[in-house]
Structures are given as structure tokens and as C-alpha cells.
């Protein structure tokens, strides 16, 4: 299956871990529609690890845990589809999943067929307990082929955390997205760490196979499976802005049944979603900035209609100034052009008059612009 823009949706892992069941999935599906998240583009509802029994049936097929999913997976998929959503599930390239349930190793084709029969539209494919002898690229190509031949369009979401040089071979599988970094946790340090780890991988993001920076922690406030210290709304806003601007898939990880207004506002910023979903899917650029320091990161990305998205992110706990020159965007003074800047959160507009932009940002704060090229 070919996906032309970064996938968007919800995944059970960050908040619920092993505590998943049919009721939760149905309630989440209802909220995805009623809260307007589906209308914004969040279309995949994905059940992560811990959904099956610990053993396969007599035909070697995976079996949903009857206590968690008493009506089987087809019933869950049918409900999710009846809401206009797409249904995602999880397996692993190893013998076992990361939480110790049966993985798909040596069962790739039979599992792909089972998922297709249940009505699955998305498969997240992890990398725990994988063979020490067979290289990851073969394991991901195997499942990629199994999915391409299962008779149903299933988006392949690879999750090998960037290990074994995933970026060099992942596009040889049928993956539409690939986890480029390790697991996220609900702390600011985790957001900062993943942001910086991602920088060397910017060149590999692109149309059809998106760098997945992991599920969002927005709105978790330290609750749930990967909830540790939690973050502030300012930090969640900056986290979301970075993931969106860099073109990562946007998979919500909080309990949306309890989502507050601040969380909803962050997840539903139309202008930012439009930047994330820009069809050109161009490579992000890290600007050098001027005296900006390691913790002031500035990224830009050229958009399909000629606009430029520019994000200023203060990763430090001190207020700080972001400074950059339009030269770095491609607008040297001799071009006779400048930028009309429009900030997507505050809706502030201004024109750059002297080639340099200087903005003061609060601790952990950010500004994201959609900038238009205009005559000087
Ligand atoms: C790995 C993945 C996580 C999650 C868990 C489930 O750690 O990276 O995203 O799927 O496994 O066990």
C-alpha cells in the first residue's frame, strides 16, 4: 500500500499498555469521531501489543485474548469501520512481541492473511526477539511482501527503532512509515532527545515512507503506561509542533476520552496539520541560526505551494532568542524577496524587513510560521 502523506491516528500503547479491551477501543472510536479528531485527519485507531493469547491455535493462527476481546477482532474492526475509521493492529518480527506474546517470525504469511480476514488496515511491526542470524531487512521485506499479497490494503508501519541502520534498507520493504528512534516517554527529556536524534535522519524522510518519531505524549500529564513525570502544556505544544513540522506520523497516545481543552487545541491546529500533511513531503532543513545555541533549534521545510514552514523551538528551561537569516531559507538579499510571516498558534503576522528574524521565546516555547515569499 502506498500512503502519500504521514499517517495520523491513535495508538493504545502510551497510555494503556496491556490494559486494552473491546470496550476501551469502542469508546475511543466514538470519541475520535465525536471530538472531531477524525475530521482533522486522525483516521487510524491502532491496538498495540498484548491483544492475543500466549499461544497460537491448532492451525498456527494468532488468537485474540477472549477476556479482552470476547467477540474476536473482526467485531472490533467492524465497529471501528462503522465509525468511518481505519483499524490497526500490532505484531513483531521476532518469535515474541516486546511484551512476550507470539510474534510473526516464520508465520508472516499466515498472520498477514489473518489480519486481512479480520479487516485490519494498518500493521505496526516491532523488532523484539528477532533472529540473531537473519538481518532485519529480510524480516521486514518478508512481512512487507506478506502484506502486499494478503488481499487487503494494509499500511505497514515498521518499528525497528532505527536499529541495524534501518534508514539504509527500510524503503526496500513495503513500509509506509518506520520508527527512526527509540521509545518515547512522557517527559521533556525524552522529547528533546528524540528531536536531536532525528536530525541526522532528516534526509531519509520523504513521500511514501515517513520517519516515525513515535507516538505523541500530548495530554498524558504523567498518567499511563509511558507516563513518567509528564510535561506542561507549553512542552506538549512544542513537542507536537516539532513532530508536525518534521513530517512525522501523528499518532495520539493519550486517553482521548478524558482529553481537556488544552490537549484538544494542540491536537487540532489546522494550520500545523496542513504543514504536516503537505503533499510535497520535502526534507526538513536544520538552520544554523545566529548565536542560537544547542538548545534553540530552528527547522524549515519548503511546502508544495511555494510557502516555507519555519519552526523555532526553545528546548531549554531558560528564555532565549532565536535568530536566523533569510539567506539560509534561500532568500539572499540580492533576490529582492522577503517573507510575510504568519504564526500558526497566535495568528500573528509580520513582514521580515532586514533579512534577519529575531524572536524571544519563553522556556520550552516555540513559534511555527507559514511564511510567504513576497517582494521586498
Ligand atoms: C516496543 C515499541 C513500542 C511498543 C512496545 C510494545 O517497545 O517500540 O512502541 O509497541 O514495544 O510492547
Amino acid at each position: 500500500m502506498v500512503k502519500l502523506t504521514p499517517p495520523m491516528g491513535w495508538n493504545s500503547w502510551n497510555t494503556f499498555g496491556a490494559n486494552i479491551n473491546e470496550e476501551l477501543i469502542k469508546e475511543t472510536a466514538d470519541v475520535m469521531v465525536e471530538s472531531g479528531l477524525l475530521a482533522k485527519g486522525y483516521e487510524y485507531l491502532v491496538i498495540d501489543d498484548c491483544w492475543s493469547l500466549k499461544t497460537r491455535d491448532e492451525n498456527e493462527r494468532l488468537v485474540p485474548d477472549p477476556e479482552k476481546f470476547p467477540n474476536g477482532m473482526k467485531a472490533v474492526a467492524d465497529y471501528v469501520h462503522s465509525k468511518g475509521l481505519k483499524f490497526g493492529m500490532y505484531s513483531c518480527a521476532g518469535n515474541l512481541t516486546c511484551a512476550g506474546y507470539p510474534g510473526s517470525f516464520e508465520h508472516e504469511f499466515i498472520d498477514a492473511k489473518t489480519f486481512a480476514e479480520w479487516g485490519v488496515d494498518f500493521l505496526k511491526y516491532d523488532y523484539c526477539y528477532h533472529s540473531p542470524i537473519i538481518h532485519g531487512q529480510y524480516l521486514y521485506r518478508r512481512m512487507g511482501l506478506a502484506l502486499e499479497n494478503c488481499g487487503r490494503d494494509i499500511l505497514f508501519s515498521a518499528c525497528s527503532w532505527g536499529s541495524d541502520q534501518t534508514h539504509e534498507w527500510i524503503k526496500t520493504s513495503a513500509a509506509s512509515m518506520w520508527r527512526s528512534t527509540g521509545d518515547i516517554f512522557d517527559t521533556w527529556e525524552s522529547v528533546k532527545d528524540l528531536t536531536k536524534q532525528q536530525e541526522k535522519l532528516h534526509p531519509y524522510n520523504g513521500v511514501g515512507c515517513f520517519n516515525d518519531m513515535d507516538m505523541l505524549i500530548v495530554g498524558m500529564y504523567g498518567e499511563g503506561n509511558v507516563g513518567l513525570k509528564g510535561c506542561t502544556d507549553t512542552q506538549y505544544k512544542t513537542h507536537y509542533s516539532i513532530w508536525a513540522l518534521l513530517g512525522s506520523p501523528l499518532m495520539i497516545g493519550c486517553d482521548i476520552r478524558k482529553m481537556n481543552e488544552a490537549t484538544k487545541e494542540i491536537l487540532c491546529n489546522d494550520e500545523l496539520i496542513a504543514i504536516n500533511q503537505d503533499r510535497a513531503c520535502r526534507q526538513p532543513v536544520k538552520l544554523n541560526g545566529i548565536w542560537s545555541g544547542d538548545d534553540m533549534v530552528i527547522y524549515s521545510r519548503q511546502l508544495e505551494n511555494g510557502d516555507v514552514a519555519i519552526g523555532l523551538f526553545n528546548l531549554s528551561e531558560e528564555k532565549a532568542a532565536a535568530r536566523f537569516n533569510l539567506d539560509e531559507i534561500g532568500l539572499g538579499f540580492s533576490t529582492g524577496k522577503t517573507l510575510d510571516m504568519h504564526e500558526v498558534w497566535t495568528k500573528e503576522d509580520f513582514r521580515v524587513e532586514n533579512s534577519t528574524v529575531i524572536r524571544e521565546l519563553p522556556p520550552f516555547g516555540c513559534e511555527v510560521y507559514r511564511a510567504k515569499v513576497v517582494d521586498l
Side-chain angles (χ1 to χ4, degrees), residues 13 48-49 90 98-99 124 126 128 159 161 179 183 214-215:
W13 182 252
D48 208 280
D49 205 349
Y90 165 101
C98 297
K124 173 172 168 182
D126 224 327
C128 284
C159 181
W161 329 295
R179 271 280 296 286
D183 283 19
D214 206 355
M215 284 94 65

Side-chain angles (χ1 to χ4, degrees), residues 4 24 45 66 90-91 113 126 135 165 167 212-213 254 267 338 343 350 371:
L4 297 177
L24 167 73
L45 190 166
Y90 165 101
S91 190
K113 190 162 163 275
D126 224 327
H135 193 277
Q165 309 293 325
H167 58 279
D212 176 7
M213 295 174 70
C254 69
L267 296 173
T338 190
E343 214 280 327
F350 65 91

Side-chain angles (χ1 to χ4, degrees), residues 65-290:
D65 182 336
E67 283 188 13
K68 294 175 179 173
F69 299 100
N71 300 302
M73 280 303 172
K74 174 87 170 53
V76 181
D78 287 348
Y79 188 84
V80 169
H81 290 151
S82 76
K83 293 278 158 177
L85 294 159
K86 292 182 174 141
F87 181 54
M89 289 192 70
Y90 165 101
S91 190
C92 185
N95 283 315
L96 298 174
T97 70
C98 297
Y101 294 80
S104 289
F105 181 58
E106 307 285 39
H107 292 81
E108 291 84 359
F109 282 80
I110 185 175
D111 288 355
K113 190 162 163 275
T114 305
F115 292 134
E117 282 167 15
W118 289 343
V120 169
D121 307 295
F122 178 114
L123 182 71
K124 173 172 168 182
Y125 204 52
D126 224 327
Y127 199 43
C128 284
Y129 302 106
H130 63 86
S131 159
I133 302 163
I134 308 177
H135 193 277
Q137 61 180 309
Y138 302 110
L139 299 174
Y140 279 87
R141 258 182 241 146
R142 257 196 216 191
M143 186 46 107
L145 269 178
L147 292 174
E148 298 279 286
N149 287 284
C150 74
R152 188 176 169 88
D153 257 353
I154 300 183
L155 188 152
F156 188 24
S157 166
C159 181
S160 57
W161 329 295
S163 50
D164 298 333
Q165 309 293 325
T166 311
H167 58 279
E168 290 179 0
W169 47 264
I170 194 63
K171 287 181 184 163
T172 67
S173 75
S176 295
M177 57 194 265
W178 64 285
R179 271 280 296 286
S180 44
T181 42
D183 283 19
I184 198 166
F185 292 92
D186 186 16
T187 64
W188 178 249
E189 291 71 29
S190 178
V191 168
K192 189 170 161 180
D193 198 33
L194 294 183
T195 300
K196 293 203 167 180
Q197 281 180 36
Q198 188 60 28
E199 287 179 354
K200 60 181 185 307
L201 297 166
H202 289 172
Y204 301 94
N205 200 359
V207 74
C209 194
F210 302 98
N211 289 20
D212 176 7
M213 295 174 70
D214 206 355
M215 284 94 65
L216 300 164
I217 52 165
V218 179
M220 287 185 65
Y221 302 108
E223 306 253 322
N225 190 38
V226 305
L228 293 175
K229 282 185 277 180
C231 295
T232 63
D233 286 333
T234 302
Q235 292 171 333
Y236 285 139
K237 188 171 118 179
T238 297
H239 152 52
Y240 184 82
S241 300
I242 294 169
W243 267 231
L245 176 66
L246 294 182
S248 172
L250 299 174
M251 303 298 289
I252 299 168
C254 69
D255 183 353
I256 56 174
R257 300 170 307 170
K258 298 188 191 150
M259 160 169 79
N260 65 16
E261 272 313 303
T263 297
K264 196 168 162 193
E265 209 178 292
I266 292 172
L267 296 173
C268 292
N269 184 309
D270 288 322
E271 290 185 288
L272 205 40
I273 292 174
I275 289 170
N276 178 262
Q277 295 290 303
D278 189 78
R279 284 190 316 162
C281 301
R282 294 208 177 97
Q283 181 182 324
V285 180
K286 181 175 191 207
L287 305 191
N288 292 318
I290 310 167

Side-chain angles (χ1 to χ4, degrees), residues 314-358:
N314 182 6
L315 303 183
S316 80
E317 58 193 349
E318 308 285 339
K319 71 173 185 192
R323 307 178 184 82
F324 66 94
N325 200 291
L326 293 203
D327 261 340
E328 281 201 82
I329 303 280
L331 293 178
F333 192 70
S334 58
T335 60
K337 302 286 177 186
T338 190
L339 291 176
D340 270 354
M341 307 279 282
H342 170 74
E343 214 280 327
V344 306
W345 293 108
T346 59
K347 312 296 175 196
E348 181 187 349
D349 293 301
F350 65 91
R351 176 163 296 183
V352 183
E353 300 289 359
N354 61 2
S355 321
T356 305
V357 176
I358 305 176

